[in-house]
Amino acid sequence: MKNKIHEPLYTSALLEGSLDEIESRIENRVFNSGRTDRDLSSVNFHECMFRNISFRGTMNDCLFQDVTFDHCDLSNCNISESVFRRVKFNTCRMMGTDMTSSSFTDVSLVNCQCAYINLNASKWKNAAISGTILCEGSLSMCTFQNTSFEHSDFSGCEFAHTPLNGLDLSTCEIDGIAVTAGDLKGVTVNAEQAVACAKLLGITVKD
């Protein structure tokens, strides 16, 4: 049974917003296409939707609550130490994005490009990652609670000191991952992946 993810909630009609008018708090706005290089750190975003927006500035220490990112580009942005509640990333580019020490609750990443993303020390609860590329990403010292992974690419990812107990990675690519041996306990993998995991533990598997 899949975990229940609460989608972004919009309690009223969203008004057209301007990226140049974003201040310390912004709510009930929809932003349709554009680019911003501004420093948006410490901004609280409530009930917002971003469509085809390219972010090139810094957004660390932000609160995103009931927010949708649709076909946005957040590559190489600093969004560290931020809080995400009921947020959906749909078909977004997040190459090399820094999201260290952020928390994700009721968050979904769907069909996103997230190679080289930095998620170190992030916390996940009631989350789902599907159809997403995270190869060569950093996911050390993370915690995952009630989080699902489907058909995503974690090749070459760093999972050091991230407990994988209870996670099902059987539909994902995990070639070349770096993981602490004890953190593999309780992970679900397919038969082919089991051979690779055995090698990580120094076990020789004969044909």
Side-chain angles (χ1 to χ4, degrees):
M1 182 177 178
K2 287 188 177 182
N3 51 321
K4 175 67 174 177
I5 306 296
H6 296 284
E7 296 278 333
L9 177 65
Y10 300 101
T11 58
S12 60
L14 301 182
L15 304 176
E16 188 75 25
S18 169
L19 294 170
D20 295 329
E21 296 174 354
I22 296 177
E23 297 182 351
S24 60
R25 180 183 174 92
I26 189 76
E27 58 187 7
N28 299 109
R29 292 291 187 273
V30 57
F31 301 88
N32 290 303
S33 71
R35 174 188 171 116
T36 178
D37 301 290
R38 295 178 56 200
D39 185 345
L40 301 176
S41 299
S42 302
V43 175
N44 291 342
F45 296 91
H46 293 264
E47 298 191 30
C48 292
M49 182 175 292
F50 297 95
R51 295 178 176 142
N52 300 300
I53 303 296
S54 177
F55 295 91
R56 287 295 177 265
T58 298
M59 292 187 289
N60 66 297
D61 191 33
C62 285
L63 169 63
F64 300 91
Q65 184 163 302
D66 296 305
V67 174
T68 299
F69 294 93
D70 185 30
H71 288 79
C72 291
D73 189 347
L74 301 103
S75 297
N76 298 312
C77 285
N78 179 359
I79 322 178
S80 60
E81 300 181 323
S82 293
V83 175
F84 299 83
R85 297 179 186 144
R86 294 188 298 276
V87 175
K88 183 173 184 177
F89 296 91
N90 178 48
T91 320
C92 292
R93 286 179 58 83
M94 301 161 70
M95 309 278 286
T97 302
D98 184 357
M99 305 177 90
T100 56
S101 300
S102 293
S103 67
F104 302 84
T105 304
D106 287 306
V107 171
S108 60
L109 278 74
V110 181
N111 299 328
C112 293
Q113 297 281 344
C114 302
Y116 305 102
I117 193 169
N118 189 342
L119 292 166
N120 288 343
S122 58
K123 298 180 179 180
W124 298 73
K125 182 178 180 181
N126 299 337
I129 297 175
S130 62
T132 291
I133 297 174
L134 299 102
C135 55
E136 304 296 335
S138 297
L139 294 94
S140 297
M141 298 177 289
C142 295
T143 58
F144 293 101
Q145 181 179 349
N146 197 30
T147 299
S148 65
F149 301 91
E150 292 186 347
H151 304 291
S152 295
D153 188 350
F154 292 94
S155 301
C157 280
E158 173 73 55
F159 281 97
H161 306 293
T162 295
L164 303 181
N165 183 42
L167 300 183
D168 186 344
L169 300 176
S170 61
T171 66
C172 298
E173 294 291 334
I174 59 171
D175 291 344
I177 64 170
V179 60
T180 308
D183 291 330
L184 284 172
K185 183 178 180 179
V187 68
T188 298
V189 295
N190 60 39
E192 183 178 347
Q193 293 169 332
V195 174
C197 288
K199 292 179 180 178
L200 288 174
L201 299 175
I203 299 173
T204 301
V205 180
K206 291 185 176 182
D207 295 332

